[in-house]
Amino acid sequence: MPKDHGIGASPMRREDVRFLTGRGKYTDDIALQGQAHAVFARSQVANGVITSIDTSEAEKMPGVLAVFTGEDFVDVGGNPAGWQINSRDGEPMKEPKRPVLAHGKVRHVGDAYAAVIAETEEQARDAAEAIVAEIDEQPAVVDMGAALKEGAPLVHDEIGTNQCFDWGWIEDNRAATDEAIKNAPHVTTLELVNNRLVPNAMEPRASTADYDPGTGDYTLYTTSQNPHLTRLLISAFVLGIPENKLKVVAPDVGGGFGSKIYHYGEEALVLAAAKKIGRPVRWTASRSESFLTDAHGRDHVTKIELACEKDGTFIAFRTETMANVGAYLSNFSTATPTFLHGTLMAGNYAVPNVYVNVKAVFTNTAPVDAYRGAGRPEATYSLERVIDMAARELGIDPLDIRRRNFVQPDQFPFTSAAGLEYDTGNYGALVDKLEEMIDRKGFEARRKASEKNGKLRGLGVNTYIEACGIAPSNLVGVLGSRVGLYDAATVRVNATGNIAVMVGAHSHGQGHETAFPQVVAGMLGIDENSVEIVHGDTSKIPFGMGTYGSRSLAVCGSAVVRATEKVINKGKKIAAHMLEASEADIEFADGQFSVAGTDKFVGFGDVALKAYIPHDFPLEEVEPGLEETAFYDPANFTYPAGAYACEVEVDPDTGKVTIDRFAAADDFGNVINPMIVSGQVHGGLAQGIGQALLEHTTYDADGQLISASYMDYAMPRADDVPFYSVDHSCQTPCTHNPLGVKGCGEAGAIGSPPSVVNAVIDALQSGGHSNVTHIDMPLTPSRVWSAMNS
Amino acid sequence: MTQVSMTVNGKTVSGEVEGRILLSDYLREDLRLTGTHIGCDTSQCGACVVHVDGKAVKACTMFAAEAEGAEVTTIEGMANPDGSLNTIQQAFQDHHGLQCGFCTPGMVMSAAALLEENAKPTEAEIRDYLEGNICRCTGYHNIVKAIMAASGQDVSAIAGE
């Protein structure tokens, strides 16, 4: 019988009602009295020197209140990278300034160089078009290989190179890995492209700023996954507004997937504009602006080598990657291809040698940063494609070669050759479950049936491991992070017994408003409906780092547990006073404080009321009130893992790939709300399938973004994907957080691309196309057909 | 400026609009019915689907002035008269057919139009009908399942919690 409440149950989401009735409150839905509108003038060339900007005509246009250019922000700071990477030679990465508005030069199509504030959006748009900018177009660099060549046009002249860093991981393992590969009986080499994607949260970015001249207080409503991080960046690095004078509110946010982690220049502009004109200023991106200016994802060009014994035992993985960071360093852009990628390059395997080299490259394209999975999809794709290729070369079953190399259950905690300490896992159990879910035994019969219909059927499998619950501050500090990555929660028990929980995590689809109360109510033995979650407003919540890296439950949920424990401990003091007993004798269970060994007890609600009516409190022993805050900093990453399988049919006449079935067996440790967890996996799978078959961000040689609308960028639609089979019953709970949870938000996107590609290659091989060993994503009909007919 | 008058969610509304103002902007900005969402600028995403004279229409594909005299229903007009979720809305909640909620109004409006045309659509028919509604969160699994459930079909055999 499934539980209907508490940890492990799937109560219906309480936030759904407002979303289903049109009463959600997203940033663009907020209308402030007297608000004006901002529209940006954006570069139409990828690389150019700004020789002049004439705003005089624009300023005279109807309704125009102010016009800004880069000149207005030369004296303020830049938007920084949050992580310092050092190159192999010890040199720190190149870190050019990222201004609020471009000044001197524009560096990608869409780079904003001016902004107009007007009474209406239409007036602002008309006036933005009247700005006359003389921009001397320069040759652009788009291709990473070309950008690294001697004499290539420079994205940032002042750093004298397009290489941001040249990073090795683990540098001390380089020689041993090279040696192992040189002496190996078998080496499989694969060159691949991890295609550039646009995150495409359905709600475009939007920011509305307000300034109170009476108090000097600013308020910024913005589409953020982490309002405190945004406030910190604006306060400490960009505009210098003191944190106590800036409130950042991220209300309902329509998806993020990484793209709304970062601080963007538009947020700073509307704040400055609101102060200047003394009225609220609102800006909402069009979808075209989103394509041009949201941080993109992936974009690696990689060579990976797998050295192994003839029996398939892995000896070494060696990876060389070029990672595009675009025109400016976005906040997590330097961590994504390094510590979220290189450290995962041992996969689920007890391989002795791993070495990764990553060169990060500036190009005249939009900034590239974390997108759902962030580095881990790139690692998984490289590993699981080259393993599949090796299995085929060696004539070994693709699951058997993986089983042979798995870290075994009795080896945990296990320090991988890429330096992470995996706490728990049972990868063999996941693969066993997967075979059952996909009905592997029935595959040959299905393949024959497809052949009869003139179709080629293939089965692709892969495993994955990720590092989530980002992140232990002491570890990431050593690795170059400039921030701590703890989270925080305040549990406020009101006098009448209901509870507000203020959390640093932010929900933009993840269901925190439903799942977090399951944890608190479960611990306190009370009704979930009496627990309310407050998030997204820096004036209400404690300083937390927000939601990304599958961290909400593992990190912020742990803070919620710790704060709730403190509430229980405080309640024991109050109960001891009420029951005239010693605090040491008070026990708490099922919503009641009782004196051990007696039938004396008081209910949680009575204790809450007493906390706020302390007429007879021993005030020297216990303070009034019942409210506790905890900050939680994890001891380690968490390590979700999974085994995925995809079965496809390929039409040999057209190259069209159809996914017949997809199975995902994941180990997320303990599961708080299975319904939400499955939903998270479903969404990730569609994004991974989208990457594998549909989505591709294309710049032409001049740096024009060719795929800048939904007519050109193929988002997965309902008829591109099947019903998925997902399972999270294989559970090895995390050993170092109080809930034993691992994080589920990114798994689907990390785990699914290789199995789709492996399935297509399997289908083509079975159809006699033995020369087709790899096709780069997305596997469009054109690419598949061309590979078959090459 | 053009004078427009229409019925929105059963109430007569009228006002002056610029000729270039889209129905989606009129609903959101003038009437403050912000449940109709704008997720693109090329009429692809479907977050702004409303019903105009009983037909599903992307509200960004027509000018407000073109809706003169029309009966418009938005997501705010979909709940039962007592304020409770209607069958489709309830099915979306029951089957976790939404996450961030941004595409949801358009999905519900499209689903309602589909079930009006086809009382018991197959999985394939639902997926085909939703071609013009993009969701980035759910992978569509629970949306399709919710619509099947809303049409009275047994969805217990479809995988999922």
Side-chain angles (χ1 to χ4, degrees):
Chain A
M1 185 71 183
K3 293 171 70 174
D4 62 0
H5 69 279
I7 290 173
S10 294
M12 286 188 290
R13 294 201 329 168
R14 56 177 77 178
E15 48 269 72
D16 287 357
V17 177
R18 69 174 185 272
F19 296 142
L20 283 161
T21 53
R23 293 196 293 249
K25 186 75 84 183
Y26 301 86
T27 298
D28 188 62
D29 300 340
I30 293 166
L32 300 180
Q33 191 71 34
Q35 68 185 5
H37 299 261
V39 165
F40 289 82
R42 298 185 181 278
S43 177
Q44 298 184 11
V45 301
N47 190 15
V49 174
I50 301 171
T51 52
S52 69
I53 300 177
D54 182 355
T55 61
S56 56
E57 281 304 311
E59 283 163 17
K60 287 183 230 154
M61 301 274 289
V64 172
L65 300 164
V67 180
F68 292 84
T69 68
E71 200 68 37
D72 295 306
F73 295 95
V74 286
D75 295 330
V76 305
N79 186 4
W83 203 296
Q84 180 178 318
I85 301 299
N86 293 332
S87 285
R88 291 166 49 212
D89 60 7
E91 280 294 304
M93 67 186 189
K94 306 289 188 200
E95 206 172 350
K97 183 177 176 182
R98 186 182 185 191
V100 174
L101 289 173
H103 183 249
K105 234 185 146 185
V106 286
R107 295 185 172 85
H108 66 93
V109 170
D111 204 0
Y113 57 79
V116 175
I117 317 300
E119 295 287 349
T120 71
E121 189 180 345
E122 290 75 20
Q123 288 171 332
R125 197 170 301 288
D126 290 345
E129 287 179 10
I131 294 173
V132 181
E134 296 288 345
I135 295 175
D136 180 15
E137 186 172 3
Q138 308 283 312
V141 280
V142 174
D143 177 78
M144 287 190 279
L148 292 180
K149 289 212 173 95
E150 229 9 74
L154 294 175
V155 180
H156 295 275
D157 302 297
E158 68 275 22
I159 60 174
T161 173
N162 288 321
Q163 183 170 289
C164 178
F165 56 76
D166 174 4
W167 178 81
W169 188 256
I170 296 172
E171 198 56 26
D172 289 348
N173 296 351
R174 183 185 178 101
T177 304
D178 289 349
E179 192 66 17
I181 288 176
K182 197 165 80 183
N183 298 326
H186 185 91
V187 178
T188 298
T189 304
L190 174 60
E191 294 186 20
L192 58 86
V193 173
N194 204 289
N195 45 325
R196 184 176 180 126
L197 306 174
V198 178
N200 271 307
M202 292 316 297
E203 178 203 24
R205 285 193 295 118
S207 302
T208 295
D210 195 9
Y211 176 72
D212 183 336
T215 60
D217 290 341
Y218 294 82
T219 302
L220 176 68
Y221 301 91
T222 194
T223 50
S224 176
Q225 300 176 216
N226 31 243
H228 269 114
L229 189 56
T230 298
R231 190 185 71 172
L232 179 65
L233 289 164
I234 293 170
S235 292
F237 295 93
V238 184
L239 295 181
I241 299 168
E243 283 179 277
N244 59 331
K245 303 305 279 182
L246 173 59
K247 174 166 92 165
V248 176
V249 182
D252 287 329
V253 172
F257 315 112
S259 67
K260 294 172 181 168
I261 297 172
Y262 327 114
H263 165 56
Y264 292 86
E266 291 89 351
E267 293 170 323
L269 187 287
V270 292
L271 283 165
K275 182 174 186 190
K276 182 169 180 178
I277 69 165
R279 288 168 53 180
V281 175
R282 173 196 192 197
W283 167 76
T284 298
S286 67
R287 180 57 60 185
S288 305
E289 276 182 299
S290 302
F291 272 107
L292 291 171
T293 65
D294 287 4
H296 294 180
R298 319 284 192 256
D299 205 353
H300 284 210
V301 175
T302 301
K303 177 182 172 189
I304 182 166
E305 294 157 286
L306 163 56
C308 54
E309 305 287 355
K310 294 284 183 197
D311 69 357
T313 303
F314 299 163
I315 299 169
F317 288 104
R318 182 170 63 193
T319 306
E320 286 173 40
T321 285
M322 286 188 294
N324 204 335
V325 290
Y328 300 101
L329 293 182
S330 177
N331 302 133
F332 276 79
S333 61
T334 52
T336 299
T338 53
F339 290 107
L340 294 174
H341 165 249
T343 56
L344 275 302
M345 288 307 292
N348 312 63
Y349 310 108
V351 56
N353 301 289
V354 171
Y355 178 73
V356 184
N357 174 234
V358 180
K359 293 184 176 72
V361 186
F362 289 107
T363 59
N364 291 116
T365 64
V368 181
D369 205 327
Y371 164 56
R372 200 173 197 168
R376 292 150 289 168
E378 294 90 315
T380 301
Y381 183 68
S382 298
L383 287 168
E384 297 296 320
R385 281 291 300 127
V386 78
I387 291 168
D388 227 58
M389 190 178 266
R392 199 171 291 282
E393 288 171 359
L394 293 166
I396 304 174
D397 178 272
L399 283 177
D400 287 350
I401 195 170
R402 291 172 167 91
R403 282 190 174 102
R404 184 166 307 179
N405 290 286
F406 280 154
V407 178
Q408 295 301 315
D410 60 1
Q411 290 179 282
F412 294 96
F414 179 84
T415 302
S416 86
L420 293 177
E421 189 185 284
Y422 303 164
D423 59 344
T424 55
N426 187 344
Y427 310 137
L430 287 165
V431 170
D432 294 343
K433 183 74 193 174
L434 181 75
E435 286 195 288
E436 173 196 318
M437 290 166 74
I438 200 80
D439 179 27
R440 197 172 185 210
K441 289 194 180 112
F443 173 70
E444 279 309 322
R446 293 194 294 275
R447 173 174 269 172
K448 286 200 175 70
S450 292
E451 281 171 4
K452 271 193 189 156
N453 293 324
K455 302 282 173 61
L456 303 176
R457 182 174 285 261
L459 173 64
V461 296
N462 69 269
T463 58
Y464 78 87
I465 185 162
E466 52 171 329
C468 290
I470 292 172
S473 295
N474 57 4
L475 177 57
V476 297
V478 171
L479 299 178
S481 173
R482 290 163 168 165
V483 290
L485 288 167
Y486 47 82
D487 219 289
T490 297
V491 175
R492 176 179 298 156
V493 183
N494 295 317
T496 53
N498 52 38
I499 294 175
V501 183
M502 281 62 80
V503 294
H506 186 275
S507 187
H508 29 280
Q510 295 88 343
H512 298 173
E513 291 170 49
T514 302
F516 284 176
Q518 291 178 252
V519 173
V520 176
M523 289 178 71
L524 294 178
I526 58 173
D527 180 2
E528 274 157 34
N529 292 316
S530 65
V531 182
E532 192 78 13
I533 299 300
V534 178
H535 68 111
D537 182 337
T538 58
S539 68
K540 294 180 181 168
I541 61 173
F543 192 104
M545 296 307 286
T547 288
Y548 44 82
S550 306
R551 70 191 303 276
S552 298
L553 194 58
V555 186
C556 189
S558 297
V560 169
V561 170
R562 293 282 187 253
T564 306
E565 287 169 351
K566 288 184 182 179
V567 163
I568 292 169
N569 289 337
K570 172 88 179 276
K572 283 181 179 174
K573 283 188 205 298
I574 298 169
H577 168 65
M578 292 168 75
L579 295 166
E580 297 177 334
S582 161
E583 186 189 331
D585 291 335
I586 301 293
E587 293 172 343
F588 181 73
D590 301 326
Q592 290 185 338
F593 294 92
S594 55
V595 182
T598 74
D599 58 0
K600 288 167 68 180
F601 69 90
V602 284
F604 181 79
D606 296 327
V607 168
L609 187 62
K610 191 69 172 178
Y612 290 94
I613 308 179
H615 291 164
D616 56 354
F617 257 33
L619 293 171
E620 64 286 359
E621 289 167 31
V622 52
E623 293 172 13
L626 194 51
E627 171 173 328
E628 298 288 346
T629 295
F631 282 73
Y632 179 84
D633 204 319
N636 190 355
F637 292 99
T638 63
Y639 298 97
Y644 285 13
C646 177
E647 208 169 299
V648 299
E649 267 194 346
V650 178
D651 182 337
D653 294 332
T654 63
K656 182 173 168 52
V657 176
T658 303
I659 294 181
D660 178 70
R661 60 187 66 196
F662 201 107
D666 292 291
D667 174 2
F668 296 131
N670 293 332
V671 169
I672 305 300
N673 184 313
M675 176 190 82
I676 289 175
V677 167
S678 293
Q680 289 292 306
V681 176
H682 293 159
L685 293 177
Q687 290 181 352
I689 290 168
Q691 171 166 30
L693 296 182
L694 300 161
E695 297 178 40
H696 195 46
T697 307
T698 308
Y699 284 92
D700 73 9
D702 296 328
Q704 292 295 331
L705 182 59
I706 303 299
S707 54
S709 81
Y710 288 147
M711 292 191 283
D712 306 295
Y713 186 93
M715 292 281 280
R717 309 298 216 272
D719 58 357
D720 292 315
V721 291
F723 279 130
Y724 319 99
S725 171
V726 303
D727 180 272
H728 23 82
S729 65
C730 298
Q731 299 179 351
T732 61
C734 171
T735 57
H736 56 79
N737 66 43
L739 291 167
V741 296
K742 294 186 171 181
C744 66
E746 297 161 290
I750 292 168
S752 52
S755 57
V756 177
V757 178
N758 291 345
V760 174
I761 299 299
D762 184 57
L764 299 192
Q765 291 271 337
S766 79
H769 299 277
S770 57
N771 61 321
V772 183
T773 57
H774 179 69
I775 306 172
D776 274 327
M777 301 185 289
L779 272 59
T780 58
S782 156
R783 286 187 177 187
V784 174
W785 189 90
S786 299
M788 292 169 74
N789 291 280
S790 61
Chain B
M1 296 291 255
T2 313
Q3 180 74 25
V4 295
S5 172
M6 64 187 86
T7 305
V8 179
N9 300 331
K11 285 189 198 139
T12 304
V13 298
S14 61
E16 290 214 321
V17 295
E18 273 190 78
R20 62 176 164 176
I21 297 301
L22 300 170
L23 178 60
S24 49
D25 289 324
Y26 179 68
L27 293 170
R28 287 182 56 78
E29 303 298 332
D30 291 43
L31 304 184
R32 299 305 307 160
L33 292 171
T34 55
T36 298
H37 293 156
I38 298 172
C40 76
D41 42 21
T42 52
S43 298
Q44 307 281 306
C45 81
C48 68
V49 171
V50 298
H51 295 175
V52 178
D53 293 331
K55 287 203 161 29
V57 168
K58 288 177 176 171
C60 70
T61 58
M62 62 191 288
F63 295 114
E66 289 179 278
E68 173 65 31
E71 294 256 352
V72 177
T73 306
T74 71
I75 188 69
E76 289 90 346
M78 291 299 279
N80 293 325
D82 67 356
S84 61
L85 299 181
N86 76 8
T87 306
I88 295 169
Q89 291 167 321
Q90 189 59 58
F92 270 68
Q93 187 185 28
D94 290 346
H95 296 283
H96 191 27
L98 64 153
Q99 290 181 26
C100 82
F102 195 80
C103 77
T104 306
M107 287 288 178
V108 169
M109 300 310 286
S110 285
L114 167 63
L115 297 187
E116 197 63 37
E117 284 175 30
N118 181 350
K120 286 239 184 312
T122 62
E123 178 199 345
E125 286 170 340
I126 294 169
R127 290 184 186 277
D128 183 60
Y129 195 89
L130 294 181
E131 171 69 21
N133 290 81
I134 304 177
C135 171
R136 195 56 152 170
C137 291
T138 65
Y140 303 100
H141 183 107
N142 285 335
I143 291 176
V144 176
K145 190 174 167 183
I147 296 172
M148 292 177 80
S151 69
Q153 301 182 64
D154 180 6
V155 295
S156 58
I158 298 167
E161 297 292 340

